[in-house]
Amino acid sequence: MVTELTYTENIFAGTRADLLARISQQLKPKRFKHVQRVEQTAIDLAKRNDVDLEKASIAGLVHDYAKQRPDADFIAAIKQYHLDPILLDYGNAIWHGVVGAELIKHELGIYDEDILNAVRHHTTGAIYMSPLEQIVYMADYIEPQRDFPGVDEARQLAKTDLAKSVAFQAKHTLQYLVENGKPVYPKSIDTYNAWVPQYPNV
Ligand code: DGI
Ligand code: FE
Ligand code: FE
């Protein structure tokens, strides 16, 4: 069952349908469906963790807003908004969250810092993540179409112990990056150190 929240908090200047229309202009159909599944998963986790449902809905819907933007848009935004120039050494995988949050702020007029941080941190995690940030990080990882070894364990953990599930994702994603010889963004290592040793058996 799809939850279509009625927005009342004025976080976004429009209805949920208005927000969906803005996002659908940015994303191909497959990615647009993904963000709607992440929204629904985030709402479910928000209910379980007493987190604001409207924020979960908006954060889930916008988390990949910038995923299909050309590299030039991100490079321009890194310079225009004086973001850390180290970002220039990375690519879309890191930019669409960290830099995407600035595009969401300026293009969609969403200024809620908890939502913006949830977008900024949805790929790499962070040392500190609010409950909303943890929810978006996990919802993206476990939405119903995700299929990888361990996803069912991640889904179970996310429902019962959100912080422990964050540790699970941080550990397994770092393991995946190392095993595949991918560059590791330093903040991904910070996330690992901050979350995993508390749960050594995840
Ligand atoms: O945008 P999505 O595909 O929905 O999901 P995402 O934003 O969580 O991106 C997932 C990908 O990002 C996944 O293939 C792992 C990759 N990733 C996560 N941390 C890092 C990373 N890639 C690199 N190169 N470095 C990282 O630290
Ligand atoms: Fe993403
Ligand atoms: Fe995503």
Side-chain angles (χ1 to χ4, degrees), residues 104-118:
I104 289 164
K105 191 193 310 190
H106 293 94
E107 295 176 13
L108 297 179
I110 293 171
Y111 298 98
D112 184 283
E113 275 296 317
D114 202 10
I115 292 174
L116 295 174
N117 282 332

Side-chain angles (χ1 to χ4, degrees), residues 50-103:
D50 208 13
V51 164
D52 187 289
L53 302 188
E54 185 168 332
K55 289 191 189 200
S57 166
I58 294 172
L61 287 175
V62 303
H63 83 281
D64 278 339
Y65 172 80
K67 183 90 175 183
Q68 288 165 344
R69 298 287 278 255
D71 286 358
D73 286 21
F74 292 113
I75 293 164
I78 291 165
K79 292 177 181 167
Q80 183 178 354
Y81 302 125
H82 307 285
L83 304 182
D84 188 344
I86 293 294
L87 283 165
L88 294 168
D89 295 342
Y90 293 85
N92 179 284
I94 302 301
W95 292 341
H96 80 278
V98 178
V99 187
E102 304 306 313
L103 301 180

Side-chain angles (χ1 to χ4, degrees), residues 31 34 63-64 67 93 96-97 122-123 140 146:
R31 179 67 49 181
H34 161 71
H63 83 281
D64 278 339
K67 183 90 175 183
H96 80 278
H122 86 265
T123 306
D140 191 27
R146 294 285 193 207

Side-chain angles (χ1 to χ4, degrees), residues 31 34-35 38 63-64 67 90-94 96-97 119 121-125 136-137 140-141 143 146 169 173-174 176-177 182-189:
R31 179 67 49 181
H34 161 71
V35 302
V38 173
H63 83 281
D64 278 339
K67 183 90 175 183
Y90 293 85
N92 179 284
I94 302 301
H96 80 278
V119 175
H121 298 150
H122 86 265
T123 306
T124 63
V136 174
Y137 180 70
D140 191 27
Y141 193 62
E143 60 95 336
R146 294 285 193 207
Q169 179 179 171
T173 299
L174 185 59
Y176 161 84
L177 294 170
K182 306 261 191 207
V184 179
Y185 187 57
K187 285 201 173 150
S188 298
I189 298 173

